[in-house]
Amino acid sequence: MEETPVCYPGAVEQARLLARGATTAAELLATTELRLKSSRGVFTDVDLAAARRRAEEADRRLAGGARGGLLGLPLAVEDSLPRSAFEALEAAGAVVVGRTSAAEAHRNPVLDVPATALDPKVSGTAVAVATGVVAAVLARRAPGAGQVPAGGAGVVGFETSGGRGVVARTVGDVAHVLRGIGWTADPANRPLRIGVSLRGLAVTRRTRAPMRRAVEDVAALLSLHVNEVVDHDPHLASEARLVLAPHLAAGPRELELLDRYLPRPFRGICRSMRAAERVMLNHMFTGVDLLVTPGHTGPAETMSLPGAVLVRNGATSPFSPLWRISGYPAVSVRAGSDADGNPLPVTLIAVPAAEGELLRVAGIIEERGGHRSP
C-alpha cells in the first residue's frame, strides 16, 4: 500500500474524511499498520487482530449512518494508564491499536540532527503521534514526553486537573478527543490575566536566548487576545524557599524512590516539604489565571564525539514542577523554531477548572505559527 495524505491528518481531519466517506476505518488502520512497521518499538503491546475487528464494526456503523467524534479513528493508550482508559476509547468507537511506551527510550523524531546523533529521548507515546502511527494517545503526564516536552517533539500534550491527559497532533485534535470521551474542557467567556515566568523554580539555571525570545513572542501575541499579560516570576528570595528548590526539581521517579527507601523518621519531613511546596506553587498563581513558561531552558546543543554527535537538550526541571507537583492542568505546545528548525516549546499551566481557557490560549499560540507537522 502506498502512503497517502491520509497518513498525516490528525484526529479532526480523519473524522471529517470518515464522515464524508472519503476513507474508511479499515483504510486508516491499514495506514497505521504500514507506519507501525518502522515504529513497532514505541508500543509495548499491539493487537492488530482486535483492531481490525473494531475497524470493520466502525465501518458498518458508518455505512449505516452512525456518526461519532472518535468512531473509526486509530488511537492508542499509554501503558501507564489502567484498563479503564482503553475501555473509554472503545466505548467511543475508536479503533484502539495497543499501548504505547511511557519510557524515555526513543529518539526525538523531529529533532534536526544527523542520523548518528545521540539525541534527547522522548516517550514512545510522543513518537507514535509525531510519526503519524496514530492520531492521538491517552496518556499520563502528557505535557512531558521524556527528556523533551511534548511541544519539543512536534506534538501537543495536555493534562487535566485530575491527571488524565491526551497527546495529539494539534490543539484542535486534543479538544476533539476530549469531547469524544466526554471530558469537558469548555472555555468560559471571561477576561484572562496571564503571567509569564522565564526563571522557573531553580535559581541556578537560566533560559537561553532562543527560548527566551520564543516566550517573549508568545507574551506579545497573547497581549493582543487576552485581558492582561504580566511578568510573574516566582520569588525564591527567602531561605526556606531556596532549601525547597532542589526538592522541587526532583522527577517523579526520584520522588517515588524517596518514599520507598527513606527511613521512616524522615518520611514525615518529606510530607511536610511536599505540603510546603504545594502552598508555594499555589501562591505562584495568586492574581493570574494562567502561567506561561519555557518548555525547557533552551534549544538543543551539539557536541562532536568519535563517530557520533551528542545532543544535549535544555533541562526541563526549572519549569516542570509547576504542573507535575501542583497537579494543575497543563499543556505543552510548540511556540516556534530555533535557527536550525528545531521546535521551541512552551508549557502553559492553569488554575484548576480552567482547562478550557488553557486549550484556547494554546490554540492561539499554535495558530500563529507554533505547530508544524513533522
Side-chain angles (χ1 to χ4, degrees), residues 205-287:
R205 296 185 178 96
R206 291 293 182 269
T207 303
R208 295 198 288 267
M211 189 74 252
R212 179 180 290 270
R213 286 194 295 269
V215 174
E216 291 170 347
D217 288 345
V218 166
L221 169 66
L222 295 181
S223 67
L224 303 175
H225 292 82
V226 301
N227 185 48
E228 190 176 3
V229 177
V230 297
D231 291 331
H232 200 74
D233 272 323
H235 300 290
L236 297 173
S238 69
E239 183 180 352
R241 287 177 178 175
L242 285 174
V243 170
L244 287 175
H247 186 59
L248 281 168
R253 293 178 182 175
E254 290 87 346
L255 293 174
E256 182 182 349
L257 289 173
L258 205 61
D259 276 345
R260 187 179 301 173
Y261 297 111
L262 198 69
R264 187 175 297 276
F266 293 99
R267 293 180 184 175
I269 297 175
C270 285
R271 284 194 292 269
S272 298
M273 289 179 68
R274 290 194 187 183
E277 289 164 5
R278 190 172 297 277
V279 170
M280 187 175 79
L281 291 170
N282 290 343
H283 179 71
M284 281 193 60
F285 285 85
T286 301

Side-chain angles (χ1 to χ4, degrees), residues 78 80-82 138-143 158-166 183 323-324 326-330 355:
E78 191 174 77
S80 62
L81 293 181
L138 296 190
R140 177 177 284 127
R141 300 296 187 193
F158 170 77
E159 181 173 307
T160 69
S161 300
R164 303 174 299 185
V166 176
W183 296 356
W323 61 271
R324 287 165 66 180
S326 69
Y328 283 3
E355 286 89 347

Side-chain angles (χ1 to χ4, degrees), residues 4-274:
T4 70
V6 175
C7 301
Y8 302 101
V12 172
E13 186 57 30
Q14 285 184 352
R16 288 174 182 163
L17 291 170
L18 288 170
R20 295 201 313 260
T23 189
T24 64
E27 289 175 349
L28 290 177
L29 180 60
T31 299
T32 290
E33 292 186 48
L34 181 67
R35 287 186 161 261
L36 190 59
K37 292 178 181 178
S38 59
S39 302
R40 179 62 179 83
V42 304
F43 282 78
T44 56
D45 179 52
V46 173
D47 189 346
L48 290 177
R52 292 187 191 106
R53 291 194 297 270
R54 285 190 287 269
E56 292 173 0
E57 173 61 24
D59 282 334
R60 282 194 292 270
R61 292 176 60 187
L62 287 164
R67 293 293 181 267
L70 304 185
L71 182 60
L73 299 189
L75 305 178
V77 175
E78 191 174 77
D79 58 8
S80 62
L81 293 181
R83 174 69 188 178
S84 58
F86 209 98
E87 294 168 349
L89 288 181
E90 289 184 329
V95 177
V96 185
V97 177
R99 290 187 175 272
T100 58
S101 170
E104 306 167 9
H106 309 279
R107 291 169 57 90
N108 189 347
V110 299
L111 199 61
D112 187 16
V113 295
T116 56
L118 306 173
D119 60 338
K121 307 301 181 188
V122 299
S123 66
T125 298
V127 175
V129 177
T131 56
V133 179
V134 290
V137 179
L138 296 190
R140 177 177 284 127
R141 300 296 187 193
Q147 297 179 25
V148 182
V155 297
V156 177
F158 170 77
E159 181 173 307
T160 69
S161 300
R164 303 174 299 185
V166 176
V167 176
R169 306 292 292 279
T170 68
V171 175
D173 292 337
V174 168
H176 184 82
V177 174
L178 292 175
R179 288 192 298 269
I181 55 180
W183 296 356
T184 58
D186 298 323
N189 186 19
R190 62 184 179 89
L192 290 179
R193 192 168 193 259
I194 295 179
V196 179
S197 173
L198 283 164
R199 188 169 64 178
L201 292 170
V203 296
T204 58
R205 296 185 178 96
R206 291 293 182 269
T207 303
R208 295 198 288 267
M211 189 74 252
R212 179 180 290 270
R213 286 194 295 269
V215 174
E216 291 170 347
D217 288 345
V218 166
L221 169 66
L222 295 181
S223 67
L224 303 175
H225 292 82
V226 301
N227 185 48
E228 190 176 3
V229 177
V230 297
D231 291 331
H232 200 74
D233 272 323
H235 300 290
L236 297 173
S238 69
E239 183 180 352
R241 287 177 178 175
L242 285 174
V243 170
L244 287 175
H247 186 59
L248 281 168
R253 293 178 182 175
E254 290 87 346
L255 293 174
E256 182 182 349
L257 289 173
L258 205 61
D259 276 345
R260 187 179 301 173
Y261 297 111
L262 198 69
R264 187 175 297 276
F266 293 99
R267 293 180 184 175
I269 297 175
C270 285
R271 284 194 292 269
S272 298
M273 289 179 68
R274 290 194 187 183

Side-chain angles (χ1 to χ4, degrees), residues 288-314:
V288 297
D289 303 292
L290 190 148
L291 197 62
V292 178
T293 70
H296 48 59
T297 55
E301 296 177 336
T302 59
M303 179 187 302
S304 297
L305 296 175
V309 176
L310 174 65
V311 181
R312 297 181 60 205
N313 196 74

